[in-house]
Amino acid sequence: MPKIKITETIFRDAHQSLIATRMKTEEMLPIAEKLDKVGFHSLEVWGGATFDACLRFLNEDPWERLRKLRKVIRKTKLQMLLRGQNLLGYKNYSDDVVREFIKKAIENGIDIIRIFDALNDVRNLKAAVEETKKAGGHAQTAISYTVSPVHSIDYYIRLAKQMQEIGADSICIKDMSGILLPYEAYELVKRMKQRVNVPIQLHSHFTSGIANQTYMKAIEAGVDVVDTALSPFGMGTSQPATESFVASLMKSPYETGLDLNLLNEIAEYLRPVRDKYIEKGILKPKVLGVNAKTLIYQVPGGMLSNLVSQLEQQNALHRFDEVLEEVPKVRKDLGYPPLVTPLSQMVGTQAVLNVILGERYKVVPKEIKNYVKGLYGKPTIPISGEIKKKIIGEENIYTGRPADLLKPQLDKLKEQIKEYIEQDEDILTYALFPQVALNYFRIRQVEKYKIDDTLLDIEEKTYPV
């Protein structure tokens, strides 16, 4: 039997899950060379919320982070997470922006791009898959795993076959809520291995406390790669702990071959980094425990935090349990979308509004209206006429690929920020997070050229995208 391969998430999902993506590049670089020596299948270092957090909170250029890591990590493949046509933002982008972003990501050092769509709408993956392969990268498509009356194993097998047909080099089962049960995982992986002929990877979170058992059954069923996180940033709402998992496979047919002593050396470096974020109050104890409610309400850890924050702002934290009960009702109304970015935030916000206002769908955010109109993609099952009428009245539903409605944007974006461009990648940064990017560019100019920042009136300018 082949050894099980491991993707280490310490530089992306692990710290995104536990410390809101606040780890700095300067904290990564001193240990990056040792990580490169371990023999991981890949290191997840980019994508997800890292791009936004670099700009918004850390005053870092995410492209420069990638280049610095690539310079040190020479043997191990670098991996990123991409939200399909949403890239790293929260809306669909035009095909020219998607293709240029992927091209630049691979040029700057990414080898494997994990591409998912919040609705599992394969049409929203196609352009990203095509460009990844064209640019010489490995296109891994990801199934957003969820549980509902319509999300059966047969559904996921059909989805995996569609992904293989559009050119996926491998397929990841992305269990963002940590709700994939062990024996269900065994059946899902076993049948998927029989029906598709590309490697299968499993990504889960320890939120509900079952991910270790789920990984073990998936390995017995033939999964090729699993995602883990070194123990200082493992477990809780993160991934299973790397060292523990490597040890648990020793003296088995699935032994990883990774060196526990080397893993421990790396963990020893990371513990003080973790402790610093505990002292700052960024790493909160609640994200380290097991939350069995996840198995009932299917709410990912990050979504739970958002719900708490929204309710605190409304002085309504005492209604948290009501909102948790409302989430699956809203999800059912909306055709059972998987609770992953951006749908998790959208469903959560609607649930909060329904509870706080005491009337369901009295107020509906623009994003929910656009979703019902078909502008995000196709729901798992059609939304009922009654719910459609409540949300969008008699407006028409768009049934095509959402990105087909978008005109090319790159040239327009370039013109809008021409005075700030120092690298081609700046145009893409601006495309994803316009105001955040402009604020970063402003700070960069002030620091680089020592100019008087009162000369820069960014807040008084508008840059429509």
Side-chain angles (χ1 to χ4, degrees):
M1 288 181 180
K3 292 179 178 179
I4 290 300
K5 298 173 184 175
I6 288 181
T7 290
E8 172 58 55
T9 68
I10 193 70
F11 285 166
R12 206 286 297 176
D13 202 9
H15 74 107
Q16 179 173 321
S17 297
L18 296 188
I19 59 169
T21 334
R22 294 300 199 276
M23 196 185 292
K24 300 173 183 176
T25 304
E26 65 189 40
E27 294 167 328
M28 299 177 181
L29 290 174
I31 203 63
E33 192 172 349
K34 275 192 178 176
L35 279 165
D36 194 25
K37 292 177 180 176
V38 172
F40 291 118
H41 169 69
S42 63
L43 285 165
E44 191 191 40
V45 301
W46 215 56
T50 60
F51 205 94
D52 187 0
C54 276
L55 297 164
R56 193 184 299 269
F57 303 114
L58 305 179
N59 190 29
E60 288 189 22
D61 180 355
W63 297 99
E64 186 61 21
R65 169 181 290 188
L66 176 56
R67 288 190 286 265
K68 285 178 177 178
L69 289 171
R70 178 78 284 174
K71 190 174 181 180
V72 178
I73 301 168
R74 298 173 181 173
K75 295 187 295 184
T76 312
K77 291 184 185 301
L78 298 185
Q79 184 167 321
M80 72 168 292
L81 180 69
L82 190 88
R83 301 180 190 126
Q85 208 72 29
N86 295 166
L87 293 177
L88 305 179
Y90 307 99
K91 65 177 185 179
N92 285 325
Y93 296 92
S94 58
D95 284 343
D96 65 328
V97 172
V98 170
R99 292 181 183 279
E100 184 66 14
F101 185 91
I102 288 168
K103 178 183 166 188
K104 286 296 180 185
I106 291 172
E107 278 181 14
N108 279 277
I110 289 295
D111 300 293
I112 302 170
I113 302 185
R114 179 178 291 170
I115 307 161
F116 78 95
D117 177 65
L119 292 173
N120 287 322
D121 189 334
V122 175
R123 299 173 303 173
N124 291 336
L125 306 175
K126 200 162 185 282
V129 169
E130 288 174 354
E131 191 59 36
T132 299
K133 293 169 77 73
K134 181 180 175 184
H138 176 109
Q140 179 180 87
T141 56
I143 291 169
S144 297
Y145 181 82
T146 189
V147 176
S148 80
V150 293
H151 286 91
S152 63
I153 288 179
D154 285 340
Y155 165 86
Y156 289 121
I157 299 301
R158 288 195 299 271
L159 186 57
K161 289 175 71 177
Q162 290 171 15
M163 289 175 168
Q164 182 175 278
E165 286 167 8
I166 65 165
D169 295 311
S170 63
I171 294 172
C172 175
I173 301 165
K174 179 177 165 62
D175 176 24
M176 58 278 176
S177 302
I179 57 174
L180 176 57
L181 300 173
Y183 288 92
E184 189 79 359
Y186 180 88
E187 191 65 24
L188 177 58
V189 171
K190 187 177 181 182
R191 288 182 55 189
M192 200 173 284
K193 292 289 287 184
Q194 292 169 348
R195 301 298 298 275
V196 297
N197 57 6
V198 296
I200 305 297
Q201 185 156 353
L202 178 56
H203 169 94
S204 189
H205 289 251
F206 202 76
T207 317
S208 67
I210 62 171
N212 277 337
Q213 298 94 305
T214 297
Y215 277 14
M216 284 297 196
K217 292 305 293 183
I219 287 169
E220 289 175 7
V223 83
D224 299 283
V225 192
V226 294
D227 290 7
T228 63
L230 281 152
S231 59
F233 288 93
M235 298 176 291
T237 54
S238 178
Q239 281 72 55
T242 304
E243 307 98 299
S244 307
F245 204 77
V246 166
S248 66
L249 290 173
M250 285 180 172
K251 299 182 180 180
S252 80
Y254 314 106
E255 192 162 359
T256 64
L258 303 187
D259 183 346
L260 260 183
N261 290 320
L262 180 55
L263 291 173
N264 186 56
E265 282 180 39
I266 298 167
E268 287 298 318
Y269 166 84
L270 290 164
R271 282 192 186 94
V273 176
R274 176 200 61 195
D275 293 346
K276 182 172 70 175
Y277 287 101
I278 292 175
E279 290 169 10
K280 288 181 176 180
I282 295 173
L283 175 52
K284 301 186 187 323
K286 68 178 182 179
V287 302
L288 296 174
V290 168
N291 192 328
K293 283 184 178 177
T294 303
L295 295 168
I296 300 169
Y297 300 115
Q298 299 185 45
V299 177
M303 184 178 172
L304 281 172
S305 301
N306 286 340
L307 293 178
V308 169
S309 177
Q310 288 177 323
L311 288 169
E312 283 177 339
Q313 290 169 19
Q314 299 298 321
N315 295 316
L317 193 53
H318 60 286
R319 306 194 72 177
F320 182 64
D321 286 341
E322 289 178 71
V323 171
L324 274 186
E325 291 174 13
E326 178 66 11
V327 165
K329 295 174 186 175
V330 172
R331 185 168 168 257
K332 179 181 178 183
D333 289 344
L334 298 180
Y336 293 110
L339 293 179
V340 65
T341 303
L343 266 299
S344 52
Q345 291 91 330
M346 290 159 57
V347 169
T349 298
Q350 188 64 63
V352 169
L353 288 169
N354 288 357
V355 169
I356 296 295
L357 298 175
E359 181 182 333
R360 306 187 79 232
Y361 304 107
K362 181 178 182 179
V363 172
V364 179
K366 179 184 72 175
E367 291 82 3
I368 292 282
K369 290 181 179 179
N370 285 340
Y371 164 73
V372 174
K373 289 178 192 175
L375 301 183
Y376 282 85
K378 186 179 178 183
T380 310
I381 61 170
I383 299 169
S384 74
E386 178 190 355
I387 295 297
K388 279 182 191 171
K389 191 165 185 179
K390 273 187 180 181
I391 293 176
I392 61 169
E394 301 299 328
E395 291 190 57
N396 292 328
I397 307 293
Y398 178 71
T399 58
R401 186 182 79 114
D404 287 342
L405 296 170
L406 303 174
K407 296 177 181 177
Q409 295 173 310
L410 272 178
D411 290 343
K412 182 180 175 183
L413 293 165
K414 185 176 181 179
E415 179 63 27
Q416 288 172 357
I417 61 157
K418 58 186 178 185
E419 67 265 42
Y420 295 108
I421 296 173
E422 294 186 11
Q423 57 181 350
D424 291 343
E425 290 84 353
D426 289 342
I427 304 164
L428 297 162
T429 300
Y430 172 69
L432 296 182
F433 303 105
Q435 193 57 52
V436 174
L438 286 169
N439 288 336
Y440 171 75
F441 296 155
R442 175 190 187 184
I443 292 167
R444 183 174 68 183
Q445 285 195 344
V446 169
E447 291 178 348
K448 186 171 182 179
Y449 301 110
K450 308 298 182 189
I451 60 175
D452 181 351
D453 64 358
T454 60
L455 299 175
L456 300 169
D457 299 317
I458 289 178
E459 284 81 1
E460 296 178 12
K461 298 178 183 178
T462 55
Y463 293 83
V465 178

